[in-house]
């Protein structure tokens, strides 16, 4: 049985996620932006927290942790590389490690770029990956610490997961990401359709996260550095893909 995934809006535009195994009752939280909405969701469902998975050290992904653990003690898992600047960890993990939630394996992927030490959590049996501020819906995180080649490698690793993977990312930035994406990939019909869907969803107050990896591969310019139309649009035909990615990221920073 795949895990049940619950999306929890936090702060102004963050998302946290619960992954729940009905058979064992095991529940994991991915990121802790804010305690109140997360505790309320656990209460509403009558779920007990067992694990907290932290993707990276930024305050808007960890600040709620202390207050959550006071009410719902749980085992905290995060990157060994970031142990010095994350809240205290019960388990330090790195690329290639795996652990279990409700008997289901969780694989750790290093997706550095936004920060050094940012990790993603991939659950192959449930076809879901928690990417926070690495791969985002129609976007990717700003490169605060990493280099473009590093982020390109991280995004390529995520893009290699199965197409039906659900991408649970950390922020509701999709509508502004869509406006930017259309400046890079204006003739992409799938992107134009998605942008219209996003406008409708936002007008109705709906979340645009999570999304599917297939949709990201078809529409997210940060995964599409190899696309001939995008390369032509940028005047970078046959350029090194990390360089094309770097140009797209630089334009986004100025957008
Ligand atoms: Zn961040
Ligand atoms: Fe963030």
């Amino acid at each position: 049985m795949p895990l049940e995934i619950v999306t929890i809006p936090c702060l102004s535009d963050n998302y946290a996620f619960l992954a729940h195994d009905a058979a064992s009752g095991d529940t994991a939280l991915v990121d802790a932006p804010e305690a109140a909405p997360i505790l309320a969701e656990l209460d509403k469902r009558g779920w007990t927290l067992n694990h907290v998975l932290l993707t990276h050290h930024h305050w808007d992904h960890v600040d709620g942790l202390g207050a959550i653990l006071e009410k719902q003690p749980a085992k905290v898992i995060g990157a060994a590389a970031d142990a010095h600047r994350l809240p205290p960890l019960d388990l330090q993990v790195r690329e290639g490690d795996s652990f279990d939630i409700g008997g289901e394996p969780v694989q750790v992927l290093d997706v550095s770029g936004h920060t050094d030490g940012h990790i993603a959590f991939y659950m192959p049996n449930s076809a879901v990956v928690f990417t926070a501020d690495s791969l985002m819906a129609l976007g990717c995180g700003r490169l605060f610490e990493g280099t473009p080649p590093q982020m390109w490698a991280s995004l390529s690793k995520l893009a290699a997961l199965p197409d039906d993977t659900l991408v649970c990312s950390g922020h509701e930035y999709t509508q502004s990401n869509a406006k930017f994406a259309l400046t890079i990939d204006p003739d992409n019909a799938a992107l134009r359709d998605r942008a219209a869907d996003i406008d409708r969803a936002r007008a109705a107050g709906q979340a645009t996260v999570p999304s599917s990896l297939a949709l990201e591969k078809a529409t997210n310019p940060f995964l599409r550095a190899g696309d001939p139309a995008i390369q032509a649009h940028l005047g970078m035909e046959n350029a090194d893909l990390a360089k094309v990615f770097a140009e797209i990221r630089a334009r986004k920073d100025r957008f």
Side-chain angles (χ1 to χ4, degrees):
M1 270 274 286
L3 301 184
E4 183 178 353
I5 308 297
V6 178
T7 305
I8 307 174
C10 294
L11 304 172
S12 60
D13 56 33
N14 277 78
Y15 289 116
F17 300 91
L18 295 174
H20 176 77
D21 176 54
S24 64
D26 274 9
T27 304
L29 167 69
V30 183
D31 281 346
E34 185 183 14
I38 293 166
L39 289 170
E41 192 68 40
L42 287 164
D43 259 13
K44 186 178 103 188
R45 293 170 183 271
W47 291 353
T48 303
L49 200 58
N50 305 100
H51 301 88
V52 181
L53 282 46
L54 299 177
T55 59
H56 67 299
H57 73 285
H58 282 161
W59 70 271
D60 61 313
H61 298 258
V62 302
D63 255 20
L65 184 66
I68 291 167
L69 294 179
E70 273 176 32
K71 293 268 169 54
Q72 293 251 15
K75 182 172 170 178
V76 182
I77 301 172
D82 268 344
H84 62 287
R85 56 185 183 177
L86 285 168
L89 300 176
D90 300 301
L91 179 64
Q92 300 185 14
V93 294
R94 39 179 65 77
E95 167 86 17
D97 284 352
S98 92
F99 54 92
D100 269 32
I101 291 190
E104 165 153 358
V106 182
Q107 297 174 7
V108 177
L109 305 173
D110 180 305
V111 290
S112 290
H114 177 66
T115 62
D116 260 327
H118 193 310
I119 53 177
F121 299 97
Y122 174 47
M123 302 181 183
N125 295 357
S126 291
V128 57
V129 65
F130 298 95
T131 58
D133 297 356
S134 57
L135 174 60
M136 305 174 89
L138 268 185
C140 76
R142 194 176 279 262
L143 305 188
F144 287 116
E145 297 179 353
T147 63
Q150 192 178 22
M151 185 60 121
W152 176 246
S154 295
L155 295 178
S156 300
K157 194 184 298 181
L158 293 166
L161 299 177
D163 271 357
D164 65 352
T165 304
L166 189 71
V167 179
C168 294
S169 55
H171 289 270
E172 183 59 61
Y173 293 161
T174 322
Q175 196 167 31
S176 64
N177 286 345
K179 291 191 178 75
F180 170 73
L182 285 165
T183 69
I184 297 294
D185 200 8
D187 300 325
N188 181 339
L191 172 60
R192 290 205 305 266
D193 288 350
R194 187 178 183 189
D197 289 345
I198 290 162
D199 287 343
R200 273 192 293 275
R202 295 309 293 156
Q206 292 163 0
T208 63
V209 172
S211 57
S212 81
L213 187 60
L215 185 60
E216 296 304 331
K217 284 164 68 175
T219 56
N220 185 329
F222 296 100
L223 294 182
R224 295 171 52 75
D227 181 73
I230 289 181
Q231 291 184 356
H233 184 77
L234 299 173
M236 297 183 76
E237 288 94 338
N238 304 314
D240 177 69
L241 297 189
K243 291 209 171 73
V244 179
F245 167 78
E247 174 61 22
I248 299 170
R249 187 59 250 181
R251 288 183 183 219
K252 178 68 162 64
D253 292 344
R254 297 192 298 265
F255 184 68

